[in-house]
Amino acid sequence: MYDHLKTYFGYDAFRPLQEEIILNVLEKRNTLVLMPTGGGKSLCFQLPALMFEGLTLVISPLIALMKDQVDTLRANGINAAYLNSSLDSGEIEDIQAEALSGELKILYIAPERMARVEFMLFLRRLKVSLIAVDEAHCISEWGHDFRPEYRNLNALRQTFPHVPCMALTATATMRVREDILRQLNMPDAPVFLSSHNRPNLHYTVKPKLQSTKQLLALLKEHKGESVIIYCFSRKDTESLTDDLNHAGFRAAPYHAGLSGELRSRTQERFIRDQVSIIVATIAFGMGIDKPDVRLVVHMDLPKTVEGYYQETGRAGRDSLPSDCVLFYSYGDKRKQDFFINQIEDESEKALAEKKLAQVVEYSELRSCRRKFLLEYFGEPVEMENCGTCDNCSATPTETHDATEIAQKILSTVLRTGERFGLAYICDVLRGSKQKRVLENHHENLSVYGVAKNIPLQQLREYVDLLLLKNYLTKQPGEYPTIGVSNLGKSALRDRESIFLPKPKSFTESIQKEKQVEDVAYEAALFEQLRDLRRSIAEEQNVPPFVIFGDKTLQEMAYYLPQTLGALGNIFGVGERKRKQFGTQFLTVIQVYTKTHGLVERITEDHDIPQQKIDRATTSGSTFQKTKELLEKKFSVAQIAKERNIAESTVVQHVLKLVEENPDLDISHLKPAADRFAVIQKAFQSSPTKLLTAVFNILEGKFTYEELRIARLFLS
Ligand code: ADP
Ligand code: ZN
């Protein structure tokens, strides 16, 4: 298995559950696989397909995806083909002949084919060793994407009762799961359920202030990378696209109002890296399988947490770090309320309200966003700090003296009788003329309008902070009311100073642009390799990621392999691709290495270099500064804070410093004993010593940084 994994796919380790699933299939047992998008489902049937004697049939509903998948397989030297309505009869005959001759290993088919008798007769003549049903939730009427053609699969199962069947999906509730098992007549098949966690996705919510300006700043950090931006309306997508193009980005709009032809052309250009930003309504996404989307932005509030999770899930399928940013303003909720109020069916309306309230809760959350998302999907989560959402990775925000505003809020809650919710309290504080306020005669209170000049969003944040710090309490229920705790009462009575973190909507506007990081892979070389990849892809008429993924190019730009042998050690470089493209990539690397006076780095360990390095900014002094702080026994986090650089950069420094001065005392960096024990065990149990493998064994519970440091202490 490991041989095939490296030779055909160029990978050194399995992702979580892949190995278990494949072993199960090789035993010729039926299986149901539930894995999040990007989890690596395809490999679960592609690898067994190579190991079985006959042919593997793959049922897939998305014609556009079939071609990409088949192109990718062929580029890896695997004999695959597809049959769907995009082919003419001559092409179909050729492929059928190839399948009958036994040369084909994998055949993708569209489910509607199976409604034809002559097609079923053709299938009967094949030696089928595995049936894989992709997007299996389409078989269920209870799912969100029911496709009647999928019911034809009953017939397929009856035709091949003894052939193992594997169903795969990213989204399936309990009900859909049971439905899949029943429809495919495999009631006892084991279900492999992998975590919804996507450790490489970084979740952030930003207060929406001047959203276009904020967006431009964000896009600058992702210049040249693939980005999807979701907007509320078609009109917004059009006008935002214009703004972006004026600002020098390559963007295209995508929504249901455009012709089908234009939409598929836009998709195609996106997949081929000819346009880097898609500005879309939620119509965009189904059928997009681009592995290297680095940023997904929501300019407006999503309608449901499920939808949000699915849309952000389109980022970082290749497991490289990617960002999911939501711009939130409470005003947007009111915008959505307007549409919800137009729903006539009462129960449907109530459901929509509830779903929206959950999205608001997510947006206003002060604790770990990942934990919220996972718990939303019913996954128990123990960790409190994931390290990779804005709330967990924020350096503790500065506190400031908020006594005045806090007193105003506490008094308002008391004087209105502790009977109202957040929105109402803010209305009174801001002197709103809302009917309800006037009916209660609250315009006569002395606190009415005392916070007139504080933006609503900021005020809401202050209330949240007072809740968080237990000055206020919240009575749960459908309309939660806010009260003042004993702590709050005594603070008010004794005129105590109240210190609170600065609200985000306050700090955001004055935040500096993110600093460009130094060190790791050669950014300029990476760009050259991307160019080469694009021109080969154009020549061969396939999407660029079919040639090599970003991670592969980044590793090349880090390890700088000088021989075909060394190139073969790079992630994602299998036998076939090495033979086919190796020399071309090698030449670019060699020239770059030489002109910059660099040398090859040894690939015995597959660290993933995840930061760019710009030649110009690497200087000796930055290492020296880190070294001085290390000698003062600063921790990695402290150094990062002190120097205002990323922890990962500090770790890069540490590794380099230790390499050059083996006597440097870094014993204070050793992880705590219990954590270290877990990491040590993972290294021991890992089939390879590659960091990615260990990272996966630990299911992303430890950061690469911690693993890199810990490895220094393994004997
Ligand atoms: P899914 O169908 O679950 O959304 P894919 O099968 O498309 O996910 O896989 C997502 C990405 O992960 C692809 O780029 C694939 O090549 C990559 N991948 C799959 N398995 C591995 C592995 N064991 N090691 C590294 N990358 C992998
Ligand atoms: Zn978190």
Side-chain angles (χ1 to χ4, degrees), residues 61-80:
L62 302 166
I63 291 186
L65 289 191
M66 283 189 196
K67 182 167 185 317
D68 287 350
Q69 290 233 7
V70 167
D71 283 344
T72 307
L73 286 166
R74 289 212 182 128
N76 278 324
I78 298 164
N79 204 353

Side-chain angles (χ1 to χ4, degrees), residues 340 343 345-355 478:
I340 291 179
I343 301 177
D345 182 303
E346 280 305 320
S347 69
E348 220 177 279
K349 183 154 139 187
L351 185 65
E353 274 166 5
K354 185 167 155 222
K355 298 253 169 202
E478 200 175 346

Side-chain angles (χ1 to χ4, degrees), residues 367-371 384-393:
S367 53
C368 180
R369 300 205 198 270
R370 184 179 308 282
K371 186 172 159 76
E384 285 297 330
N385 186 312
C386 75
T388 47
C389 72
D390 52 353
N391 289 338
C392 292
S393 63

Side-chain angles (χ1 to χ4, degrees), residues 2 42 58 60 134 145 251 279 284 323 359 369 384 410 454 497 500 503 519 534 574 589 605 619 643 687:
Y2 277 95
S42 321
V58 185
S60 164
D134 210 359
D145 191 26
V279 188
F284 183 73
D323 287 311
V359 176
R369 300 205 198 270
E384 285 297 330
L410 296 175
I454 297 187
S497 301
L500 294 177
V519 227
R534 195 168 357 194
I589 301 169
D605 90 59
S619 65
R643 301 206 45 205

Side-chain angles (χ1 to χ4, degrees), residues 402-622:
T403 312
E404 192 186 325
I405 181 66
Q407 286 180 350
K408 287 177 180 170
I409 294 171
L410 296 175
S411 322
T412 307
V413 175
L414 281 177
R415 297 208 185 156
T416 50
E418 302 181 274
R419 294 182 289 125
F420 298 95
L422 177 68
Y424 188 87
I425 301 293
C426 292
D427 276 346
V428 174
L429 277 158
R430 282 167 46 84
S432 153
K433 299 234 164 21
Q434 291 267 345
K435 199 161 118 222
R436 203 156 149 237
V437 176
L438 302 180
E439 275 170 8
N440 289 321
H441 302 296
H442 282 156
E443 79 276 19
N444 300 326
L445 293 178
S446 59
V447 287
Y448 180 75
V450 287
K452 216 183 290 169
N453 35 22
I454 297 187
L456 175 62
Q457 189 134 342
Q458 212 164 304
L459 202 56
R460 291 178 62 91
E461 265 193 80
Y462 274 119
V463 177
D464 270 348
L465 289 166
L466 288 169
L467 280 164
L468 191 80
K469 300 280 173 198
N470 300 317
Y471 289 99
L472 291 174
T473 57
K474 198 182 218 168
Q475 299 304 321
E478 200 175 346
Y479 299 102
T481 57
I482 291 177
V484 179
S485 67
N486 287 335
L487 178 70
K489 284 180 185 143
S490 66
L492 204 55
R493 190 183 54 230
D494 304 340
R495 303 189 177 280
E496 277 168 25
S497 301
I498 297 179
F499 282 85
L500 294 177
K502 288 206 174 123
K504 285 200 197 151
S505 46
F506 185 74
T507 44
E508 168 74 10
S509 47
I510 48 172
Q511 219 170 51
K512 296 188 296 271
E513 250 177 56
K514 199 173 138 196
Q515 287 192 325
V516 181
E517 316 255 7
D518 45 348
V519 227
Y521 65 84
E522 301 285 331
L525 176 56
F526 176 60
E527 288 308 322
Q528 291 178 14
L529 295 172
R530 280 184 75 188
D531 284 345
L532 173 61
R533 172 177 72 178
R534 195 168 357 194
S535 65
I536 297 178
E538 264 158 34
E539 223 166 81
Q540 304 212 349
N541 198 22
V542 294
F545 58 76
V546 164
I547 309 295
F548 283 128
D550 276 5
K551 189 160 156 189
T552 303
L553 300 190
Q554 289 178 5
E555 287 211 352
M556 288 181 189
Y558 176 79
Y559 291 110
L560 309 172
Q562 300 294 309
T563 58
L564 279 173
L567 194 72
N569 289 334
I570 297 284
F571 172 91
V573 183
E575 259 321 292
R576 172 62 168 257
K577 288 189 180 175
R578 191 174 65 138
K579 284 209 189 93
Q580 209 177 349
F581 313 119
T583 330
Q584 292 181 74
F585 282 87
L586 211 53
T587 312
V588 174
I589 301 169
Q590 284 165 340
V591 170
Y592 184 94
T593 316
K594 212 159 170 187
T595 39
H596 289 83
L598 302 170
V599 286
E600 178 169 349
R601 291 186 172 94
I602 328 146
T603 44
E604 41 129 345
D605 90 59
H606 256 283
D607 279 18
I608 321 169
Q610 285 167 349
Q611 254 108 44
K612 297 183 211 170
I613 142 177
D614 277 318
R615 277 279 120 208
T617 62
T618 353
S619 65
S621 69
T622 176

